[in-house]
Amino acid sequence: MAPASKTQGEQSKEGMGSHVGLPALDLSAAFPQATPASVFPPLVSDYYQFGDLLSSEEKALRKRIREVMEKEIAPIMTEYWEKAEFPFHAIPKLASLHVAGGTIKGYGCPGLSITGSAIATAEMARVDASCSTFILVHSSLAMLTIALCGSEEQKQKYLPSLAELHTVACWALTEPDYGSDASSLRTTATKVAGGWLLDGQKRWIGNSTFADVLIIFARNTSTNQINGFIVKKGTPGLKATKIENKIGLRIVQNGDILINKVFVHDEDRLPGVNSFQDTSKVLAVSRVMVAWQPIGIVMGVFDICHRYLKERKQFGAPLASFQINQEKLVRMLGNVQAMFLVGWRLCKLYESGKMTAGHASLGKAWISLRARETVALGRELMGGNGILSDFLVAKAFCDLEPIYTFEGTYEINSLVTAREITGIASFKPAVRSKASRL
């Protein structure tokens, strides 16, 4: 039977490719009343002048990051977020920030204070949460694991190149069946002559589709304890594929990793990872950094909304002149100040050696909760334009969702703090006795 002939309309659509009709207007022509986020607004969210608390080095770092992010990243972030692609050409610009390696001293790393590293994280997230996540995974997870748990030879071999972003790293703990219950991971490491054979699967691993160095955690089949391994890109049996269709952090390339009899030399086993507890040394720092991501995001959202409300007019007046909008804006501003203060105190507790796992978990949980509320208010203030990534708020609204979940969900982090203040762990449901089930 001959195929049905195509209608003139169908042929016309095919000729135009994936677009029907004319290309979209440039935003400046389509909506001239407000400036898009590609031209980033000045910082107005530091209402309580927390900048006064920074050292001269931290102020210089903040200034350098803000300039690069606003000039180099802001103009391209919407395009790459929409395409869900990573802007590899921007890596040299991010490398110029000299923040990879964070608090690590030596090996070409910047040796920042935890406060300096937190400020850097917030400044990146203020413009683009995906770029801050890229650096966080690379630096505060992968590099820090090598620094805290690696041998001297491993530090010398890997850290200098990673610090310059000549090579990129990822950190593979989470598995398809084990997210919050990460300590139950099932990827295995079996000792063989000269090294180890790894078998299993990882999921949601940021940077994994292009990482040169992968930090992979696996269960030792002899001891049943968790060990850590440095695996190089292209190792036979290693396959990383991109997770598609995310609604948030779309620039970040999260991947599924299949590990099929991957051989790792003895020299690439991390000697400092001998149980799941050893990962806590890394997570204590990274959880502080993750808490500062929402702080940066809401700073950017407030700055954008503040400018937008003064530019956008309705009923013959700027939106900023309406009382209900002013109240929402001030509520947002109050949240930003409170979030900054909690994040600041968290850094100072860490620097003084007083920070506990409960402190870090409460900070991450509470700050991300307040950030959700703040960005939702910004979404309301932006009206219809609040659903366009061109004005940052919609993008930030979506980017906060994975941040609310990763490095421990709100609920899990709450339970970590609750265990610390009550002495009672409640992570697993209480087991009912047989008699109570009858």
Side-chain angles (χ1 to χ4, degrees), residues 311-326:
E311 291 180 338
R312 171 72 161 144
K313 294 180 179 179
Q314 288 290 277
F315 304 103
L319 290 178
S321 66
F322 294 91
Q323 291 181 355
I324 195 166
N325 292 339
Q326 290 193 357

Side-chain angles (χ1 to χ4, degrees), residues 205-278:
I205 311 305
N207 304 349
S208 60
T209 60
F210 58 89
D212 304 288
V213 177
L214 301 88
I215 306 299
I216 295 180
F217 296 90
R219 187 175 302 281
N220 188 318
T221 55
S222 296
T223 65
N224 204 39
Q225 294 295 325
I226 304 302
N227 293 160
F229 301 87
I230 302 173
V231 183
K232 301 177 189 69
K233 180 181 181 180
T235 301
L238 185 71
K239 182 180 180 181
T241 57
K242 178 184 173 182
I243 296 174
E244 301 282 2
N245 306 322
K246 296 188 304 174
I247 69 159
L249 295 179
R250 288 171 55 80
I251 293 174
V252 176
Q253 304 298 291
N254 292 94
D256 285 304
I257 304 178
L258 299 179
I259 308 162
N260 182 22
K261 292 183 171 52
V262 171
F263 178 76
V264 182
H265 291 280
D266 282 326
E267 66 187 31
D268 282 327
R269 180 185 171 246
L270 291 159
V273 182
N274 297 297
S275 72
F276 185 75
Q277 290 303 111
D278 291 321

